[in-house]
């Protein structure tokens, strides 16, 4: 069986493809919260939308820990915690 080495052009294309994939991967921040119902979600929505952007966060109120997941490319943990506190709730960062 003959093994063929990649040409320089193939190596460059592979490198660029991997770099593109790496740059487009979304990193997320996760928080345990006290946002536990639809009313709570409605109350925190304006604050989170303003701080991290609409569509950059979601809360799983069915999870016992009420997990808030945020696109880390949009913000940092301190901003998220501040936005949640501003709405009257708590958020504790989960180390991943």
């Amino acid at each position: 069986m003959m093994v063929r080495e990649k040409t320089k052009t193939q190596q460059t294309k592979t490198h660029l493809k991997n770099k593109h994939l790496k740059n487009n991967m979304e990193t997320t921040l996760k928080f345990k919260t006290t946002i536990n119902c639809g009313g709570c979600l409605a109350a925190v929505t304006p604050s989170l939308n303003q701080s991290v952007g609409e569509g950059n966060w979601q809360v799983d109120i069915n999870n016992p820990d009420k997990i808030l997941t945020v696109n880390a490319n949009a913000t940092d943990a301190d901003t998220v915690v501040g936005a949640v506190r501003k709405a009257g709730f708590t958020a504790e960062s989960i180390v991943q």
Side-chain angles (χ1 to χ4, degrees):
M1 176 185 260
M2 184 178 191
V3 178
R4 196 172 78 161
E5 287 188 37
K6 287 185 174 182
T7 67
K8 186 72 171 170
T9 302
Q10 289 170 322
Q11 290 172 349
T12 301
K13 285 180 181 177
T14 300
H15 172 76
L16 290 174
K17 179 181 176 186
N18 290 339
K19 184 177 179 182
H20 174 74
L21 290 173
K22 182 179 177 183
N23 288 340
N24 286 326
M25 288 180 12
E26 285 192 9
T27 305
T28 57
L29 300 172
K30 293 193 181 268
F31 303 85
K32 179 179 176 179
T33 73
T34 56
I35 303 166
N36 58 20
C37 68
C40 299
L41 193 55
V44 77
T45 294
S47 182
L48 281 171
N49 281 350
Q50 181 180 14
S51 297
V52 302
E54 189 173 342
N56 286 317
W57 63 274
Q58 65 181 19
V59 180
D60 182 357
I61 59 175
N62 294 318
N63 184 305
D65 290 329
K66 313 306 179 199
I67 302 298
L68 166 62
T69 304
V70 179
N71 176 352
N73 297 328
T75 192
D76 59 60
D78 291 336
T79 301
V80 174
V81 170
V84 173
R85 281 190 185 148
K86 180 180 174 182
F89 302 95
T90 62
E92 178 184 334
S93 185
I94 299 172
V95 180
Q96 297 178 25

